[in-house]
Amino acid sequence: MSMTEPGSGFQDSMALRAEGFVLENIPTVDVDRREASLVPLADAVRDLVDATIRTTVDNEELDAVREGVAELVNRLRASQLPGPAGVRFNSESRAWNWGNAVVGLGNAVAPPLQTVHDPSGLVHAEVNLGAAYEGPPGLVHGGVTAMLLDHLMGETASGPSQRVIFTGTLTTRYLRGTPLGKVRLEARIDREERRKVFVVATVSDAEGVTVEAEGVFIQPSWAAPDELC
Amino acid sequence: MSMTEPGSGFQDSMALRAEGFVLENIPTVDVDRREASLVPLADAVRDLVDATIRTTVDNEELDAVREGVAELVNRLRASQLPGPAGVRFNSESRAWNWGNAVVGLGNAVAPPLQTVHDPSGLVHAEVNLGAAYEGPPGLVHGGVTAMLLDHLMGETASGPSQRVIFTGTLTTRYLRGTPLGKVRLEARIDREERRKVFVVATVSDAEGVTVEAEGVFIQPSWAAPDELC
């Protein structure tokens, strides 16, 4: 889970953090049990998103399936959070952000990206992007690669200690189209200058790099070590 | 529909275009009829994505709903395209890209963004971003704003005549967090230098601009007017 937040409204963001990061009085075993039911449901919904895009069944069947979906929505909405899921943690330091748009295991919009932090400092992820992530025919939407890079680079700047960090500027260079299918993302910290962290990253297919990116991330003064302020 | 494609592998992209843009022998009236059934289904799936994120029903009910979703997936997969949806058009110049990750009406990953091209050259969109687009608690994921900007700016560079254009570089500056809810995006061409098109854009909430972006888009030499080559 990354503490990355865009923007520079640091005082505002601190308040949002206090509001949005919710301490839940739930034992870890129950969090794990919830996840074990939620993740297969979200995976099924990912399947449904894909099937809705690719189906060629007749219009009457689309209408009938729509009614079935609406019934399932009603069952889930019988009891629900009043707003978005936010980021939650318990007193045993188990944290969960199932609703996150990029890595949320319970969010069918997220592929979800599963990031690996190597001891060397390299942060990487492999993800299989299907029909739901298409832009030009057969290619990953350029905005989707930008979205995945933003997240991976934020996590990279935040680091294994999950320091608080904000995205300042993100620059993405498209070298060629990225075909749908298996994609690899890599990021690492290039350098740090006081409270600024410079991260470089790539997106690759089997033939090599398709997109390059550079990001500048900022540690807010209230969260940075004293010697940097 | 934008012809925007990322990258600079122009010859490759030309082949992909030939492959991916599919001429369908379907009268417009039938395309419209299909859309009239597909869009409500995709909207219901969007609801299901949101309900899955926010539901607090018990684990047994999650399991039961998952089974219901799997059954609906099977019904849709009874007949389907072998791969992604691509971009399709008929001989009456009706085009549809229902599967696009940002604007696809049939893709529940897409909000979908609905862009408006003003005669003045301003291209804008208003979109209501819910729980599925969350990054930091209560805020739009920074990667989501980058994704939406990429698409809007590509459409802007492409212009009303939908000229063929590729994203070269996209730079996004985060001024502060963007709250979930109603968001406005605006883009316009800043200047053109031979085959390069410079586009500027913003994301705003009710209080003003939250994200600024600049993009460089490139007309491939095979598609540009002779005097630019």
Side-chain angles (χ1 to χ4, degrees):
Chain A
M1 185 194 72
S2 165
M3 296 291 133
T4 308
E5 293 191 21
S8 57
F10 297 144
Q11 282 75 16
D12 290 346
S13 297
M14 202 171 180
L16 280 165
R17 190 186 333 282
E19 266 174 44
F21 287 69
V22 178
L23 175 62
E24 292 260 26
N25 189 17
I26 304 174
T28 297
V29 61
D30 290 340
V31 177
D32 292 345
R33 212 170 272 152
R34 182 70 177 174
E35 195 170 87
S37 285
L38 180 62
V39 172
L41 170 58
D43 284 344
V45 177
R46 287 183 183 96
D47 255 5
L48 185 64
V49 171
D50 179 86
T52 298
I53 293 169
R54 293 170 53 204
T55 190
T56 55
V57 300
D58 66 29
N59 296 345
E60 290 65 34
E61 181 71 346
L62 292 190
D63 297 343
V65 169
R66 172 180 49 77
E67 283 177 24
V69 174
E71 280 167 28
L72 297 175
V73 169
N74 285 340
R75 287 173 66 175
L76 294 177
R77 292 210 191 283
S79 168
Q80 64 176 4
L81 300 170
V87 181
R88 289 158 196 273
F89 59 99
N90 67 12
S91 55
E92 301 165 54
S93 296
R94 170 75 156 91
W96 60 104
N97 60 347
W98 296 326
N100 184 280
V102 176
V103 297
L105 297 176
N107 182 346
V109 161
L113 203 67
Q114 297 187 291
T115 59
V116 180
H117 292 249
D118 282 353
S120 68
L122 185 74
V123 182
H124 55 99
E126 286 196 349
V127 61
N128 199 1
L129 298 173
Y133 301 99
E134 190 180 35
L139 300 178
V140 179
H141 195 294
V144 169
T145 51
M147 175 175 76
L148 301 180
L149 282 166
D150 173 87
H151 192 97
L152 188 77
M153 294 167 78
E155 267 203 27
T156 303
S158 191
S161 65
Q162 298 190 358
R163 59 184 170 184
V164 177
I165 207 117
F166 298 84
T167 311
T169 307
L170 191 71
T171 303
T172 313
R173 268 179 303 278
Y174 296 88
L175 308 183
R176 60 183 169 86
T178 305
L180 288 171
K182 203 170 133 188
V183 167
R184 182 178 168 88
L185 297 103
E186 293 189 353
R188 62 179 174 78
I189 293 177
D190 183 57
R191 64 192 190 281
E192 302 196 19
E193 291 172 11
R194 300 186 63 84
R195 293 189 288 112
K196 286 188 181 171
V197 184
F198 295 80
V199 175
V200 291
T202 55
V203 176
S204 304
D205 65 5
E207 311 300 316
V209 173
T210 59
V211 184
E212 293 174 341
E214 184 175 291
V216 184
F217 297 82
I218 299 157
Q219 299 182 67
S221 56
W222 55 260
D226 281 349
E227 65 271 21
L228 297 184
C229 297
Chain B
M1 184 196 75
S2 164
M3 297 291 135
T4 308
E5 293 192 22
S8 58
F10 296 143
Q11 282 73 18
D12 289 346
S13 298
M14 201 169 180
L16 281 165
R17 187 185 337 280
E19 266 175 44
F21 288 69
V22 178
L23 174 63
E24 293 261 25
N25 189 17
I26 303 175
T28 296
V29 61
D30 289 340
V31 177
D32 292 345
R33 212 169 273 152
R34 182 69 177 175
E35 195 171 87
S37 284
L38 181 62
V39 172
L41 169 60
D43 284 344
V45 177
R46 286 183 183 95
D47 255 7
L48 185 65
V49 171
D50 179 88
T52 299
I53 293 168
R54 294 169 53 203
T55 189
T56 55
V57 301
D58 66 29
N59 296 344
E60 289 66 33
E61 182 70 348
L62 293 189
D63 297 343
V65 169
R66 172 180 50 76
E67 283 176 25
V69 174
E71 279 167 29
L72 297 175
V73 169
N74 285 341
R75 287 173 66 175
L76 294 176
R77 291 211 191 284
S79 169
Q80 64 176 4
L81 300 170
V87 180
R88 288 157 196 273
F89 60 98
N90 68 13
S91 56
E92 301 165 54
S93 295
R94 170 74 157 92
W96 59 104
N97 60 347
W98 296 326
N100 185 280
V102 175
V103 298
L105 296 176
N107 183 346
V109 160
L113 203 66
Q114 297 188 290
T115 59
V116 180
H117 292 249
D118 281 355
S120 68
L122 185 74
V123 182
H124 55 99
E126 286 196 350
V127 60
N128 199 3
L129 298 173
Y133 301 99
E134 189 180 35
L139 300 178
V140 179
H141 195 294
V144 169
T145 51
M147 176 175 75
L148 301 180
L149 282 166
D150 172 87
H151 191 97
L152 187 78
M153 295 168 77
E155 267 203 25
T156 303
S158 192
S161 65
Q162 298 189 1
R163 59 186 170 181
V164 176
I165 207 116
F166 299 83
T167 312
T169 306
L170 191 72
T171 302
T172 314
R173 269 178 303 278
Y174 295 88
L175 307 182
R176 60 182 171 87
T178 306
L180 288 172
K182 202 169 132 186
V183 167
R184 183 177 168 86
L185 296 103
E186 293 188 354
R188 62 179 174 78
I189 293 177
D190 183 56
R191 65 191 190 282
E192 302 196 20
E193 292 171 10
R194 299 186 63 86
R195 294 189 289 112
K196 286 187 180 172
V197 183
F198 295 79
V199 175
V200 292
T202 56
V203 177
S204 305
D205 65 5
E207 311 301 316
V209 173
T210 60
V211 184
E212 293 172 342
E214 184 175 292
V216 184
F217 297 83
I218 299 158
Q219 298 182 68
S221 56
W222 54 261
D226 281 349
E227 65 271 22
L228 298 184
C229 297

